[in-house]
Amino acid sequence: MAAEIKPVPVLATSATAARSNQKKPILLHKIEGYEETVNQAVILPGEDGVVAVCDDRSVRVWLKRDSGQFWPSICHYMPSGATSVCFTKQVWRVFVGQENGTISEFVLAEDYNSLTHKRDYLSHHARVTQVHHASTPSWILSVGRDKWFQYYCAVSGKRLGGHICPAWAYCLEFDFASRHVFIGDASGQITMLKLDPQPDLATSNTTTEQQAVGVQQITVFKGHSGPVRSLAWDAGHKFLFSGSEDKGIIAWDIGGQQGTAYELQGHKNKVMAVCFSPIGRKLVSGGEDAMLWIWNMKAKRIETSEWTESSTCQRCSRPFFWNLRGMFDQRQLGLRQHHCRQCGRAVCDDCSPHRSVLPAIGYEYEVRVCVECNKSLTEADRVSLAVCQEAKHSILWLHLDEERARLLTLGHDRIMKIWDVSSLLKNDA
């Protein structure tokens, strides 16, 4: 069946319309035609092209033709389902993770018309969920559903080390300067490792007896109540961003070394993908609510208040329903406990009747606040620190080409969309 490609033309608009679209992503193209799930895709840097991998075992390179349509210049089939992809233009390498746990390395021709197989890495014995190539020092890092993090030397092909996680590993981020790697898993935690290659101790083959060597576990970050599906790294300011199925995003201040973390709440469903642009310090997130959020991380943010626990309302002192002694002493029925999102106090419904957005704390939708906090909030406190755009498909993957300010969204509908986000990534104040 021939692929049906539907380019979306960019129409000339009036000055008024242009101003209204200035702070919104602009849809440029749609690429569709797949019959099975497209797992990941990356934009070719500086080009109108995309590399996509699919459960139908295909690796396809899509290029924009003179007609304005995208057509596949390469369609290569793997031995098993293609589940993850990474492209490094400096060395023209494409790395493809597979359902069977193998990572295949290819050389992509500079005219984008051929893929030449170079080597296979037997990294995992289950689905590879993400693969990352560090061109310096030429390492291939990967995680999979076998719970393992592995890394290999791309020059010699030797295993350098690995670490087993407590649950399926979904995503990873690597900081070249410090050689730290961050791994998000299905238990909701993020493991921070320090890489110390030991090729003489690391075995070459993936077996159940494989040893966890070549890594040092530094710490574990716990803050999500659902699986961590995506990570993004701000190398300049040492911030780690994590998106989770619990609908939340957490910004972890790694460089501050004080355990500071900021929550970002805007999505109404699972957050499946996050990516970061150092230009203007913008974080892009997408999820199953079919919404794109662009968060301004230059803005001053406040840590979410910890919720206090009490047997009585901390404003009016009336007892909550489990406080039998208090109900008897005050001769009244117990009340349901709520929490003010601004101060974190335990309050009853009568003492927290107001709803407000709290952008500095990360709440871009209205949440419960108590009477005192509502009085203290000003209009400036309610100014949004993020931009929201309907993507019109449930997002499972994002990729950002910072050079050309192009964002790729990949949906459960097996459609890839390319957006112009140049107005959003401006380095403005």
Side-chain angles (χ1 to χ4, degrees):
M1 177 179 177
E4 180 184 2
I5 317 299
K6 295 181 179 180
V8 178
V10 182
L11 302 177
T13 59
S14 65
T16 302
R19 283 194 297 270
S20 66
N21 289 330
Q22 187 177 9
K23 293 297 183 180
K24 293 284 186 178
I26 302 172
L27 180 61
L28 300 178
H29 306 285
K30 291 202 299 185
I31 304 175
E32 54 188 323
Y34 286 95
E35 295 184 355
E36 295 189 42
T37 300
V38 186
N39 292 304
Q40 291 183 13
V42 295
I43 300 174
L44 295 171
E47 300 287 341
D48 286 320
V50 173
V51 182
V53 295
C54 179
D55 275 347
D56 65 4
R57 302 185 293 114
S58 70
V59 180
R60 304 186 194 189
V61 178
W62 300 84
L63 294 179
K64 183 182 176 182
R65 304 304 183 183
D66 293 337
S67 63
Q69 297 180 330
F70 279 77
W71 291 96
S73 63
I74 299 173
C75 185
H76 179 87
Y77 284 91
M78 306 297 295
S80 65
T83 58
S84 56
V85 65
C86 173
F87 173 63
T88 307
K89 189 171 183 178
Q90 293 93 325
V91 291
W92 293 91
R93 293 293 191 271
V94 177
F95 297 89
V96 179
Q98 300 179 58
E99 188 71 45
N100 63 11
T102 301
I103 297 173
S104 296
E105 178 182 352
F106 296 90
V107 179
L108 178 62
E110 295 188 16
D111 60 2
Y112 302 105
N113 284 319
S114 66
L115 273 177
T116 304
H117 181 262
K118 182 180 179 183
R119 182 186 287 128
D120 285 334
Y121 302 87
L122 305 180
S123 302
H124 302 272
H125 52 270
R127 181 187 182 102
V128 180
T129 51
Q130 188 167 351
V131 59
H132 175 81
H133 177 230
S135 55
T136 304
S138 196
W139 290 348
I140 303 165
L141 304 91
S142 62
V143 290
R145 288 189 178 177
D146 58 357
K147 304 182 183 180
W148 275 93
F149 159 75
Q150 304 276 21
Y151 70 113
Y152 282 69
C153 176
V155 177
S156 65
K158 290 184 178 180
R159 179 176 181 259
L160 301 177
H163 175 82
I164 189 165
C165 300
W168 285 0
Y170 279 127
C171 50
L172 68 88
E173 269 294 340
F174 177 61
D175 179 36
F176 162 73
S178 63
R179 295 197 175 185
H180 286 124
V181 66
F182 304 90
I183 304 163
D185 63 42
S187 71
Q189 72 180 33
I190 301 167
T191 304
M192 180 180 179
L193 306 173
K194 174 79 171 181
L195 301 189
D196 179 23
Q198 298 184 34
D200 295 335
L201 296 178
T203 57
S204 299
N205 297 321
T206 302
T207 66
T208 54
E209 292 79 23
Q210 200 169 54
Q211 298 298 310
V213 297
V215 299
Q216 176 189 355
Q217 181 170 318
I218 303 301
T219 188
V220 173
F221 302 103
K222 297 181 180 180
H224 289 290
S225 59
V228 177
R229 299 307 299 259
S230 184
L231 295 173
W233 176 243
D234 176 2
H237 296 81
K238 304 299 181 184
F239 264 80
L240 179 71
F241 304 97
S242 57
S244 169
E245 290 188 12
D246 62 9
K247 308 177 187 178
I249 301 167
I250 298 180
W252 309 85
D253 184 2
I254 307 299
Q257 299 182 352
Q258 299 295 322
T260 306
Y262 306 100
E263 293 187 27
L264 304 175
Q265 302 287 346
H267 288 279
K268 300 295 186 180
N269 208 329
K270 298 175 183 177
V271 180
M272 301 298 290
V274 293
C275 56
F276 180 78
S277 171
I279 304 173
R281 295 195 68 200
K282 302 295 174 62
L283 177 72
V284 184
S285 63
E288 293 189 353
D289 58 356
M291 302 300 291
L292 271 175
W293 282 87
I294 297 89
W295 307 84
N296 180 10
M297 299 312 300
K298 289 176 64 177
K300 180 177 176 57
R301 294 188 177 273
I302 304 170
E303 277 194 282
T304 305
S305 301
E306 289 191 17
W307 288 4
T308 59
E309 296 300 328
S310 175
S311 59
T312 60
C313 174
Q314 293 182 307
R315 184 173 182 272
C316 68
S317 299
R318 288 186 292 176
F320 295 127
F321 65 85
W322 62 84
N323 184 0
L324 300 180
R325 178 75 180 195
M327 287 189 289
F328 178 79
D329 291 343
Q330 298 187 31
R331 288 178 168 75
Q332 69 171 50
L333 294 175
L335 305 174
R336 182 179 176 184
Q337 176 181 262
H338 301 281
H339 285 89
C340 173
R341 282 7 179 222
Q342 175 78 4
C343 64
R345 290 191 301 173
V347 290
C348 65
D349 187 63
D350 289 341
C351 293
S352 57
H354 305 286
R355 303 293 183 272
S356 175
V357 294
L358 302 170
I361 299 180
Y363 292 104
E364 291 289 339
Y365 52 82
E366 291 188 341
V367 291
R368 182 184 296 270
V369 291
C370 66
V371 173
E372 285 79 10
C373 288
N374 185 68
K375 289 179 180 178
S376 67
L377 291 173
T378 65
E379 287 304 314
D381 295 328
R382 295 183 171 92
V383 175
S384 177
L385 300 178
V387 175
C388 181
Q389 168 74 25
E390 186 177 0
K392 296 186 178 179
H393 68 163
S394 176
I395 297 171
L396 63 86
W397 175 259
L398 295 173
H399 186 256
L400 180 65
D401 177 9
E402 297 175 36
E403 180 182 344
R404 301 177 67 239
R406 296 292 186 265
L407 176 70
L408 180 144
T409 62
L410 173 60
H412 288 283
D413 55 4
R414 304 183 294 278
I415 295 176
M416 291 177 281
K417 296 183 180 181
I418 299 176
W419 307 76
D420 178 0
V421 291
S422 55
S423 64
L424 291 160
L425 301 185
K426 289 180 180 177
N427 191 12
D428 48 10

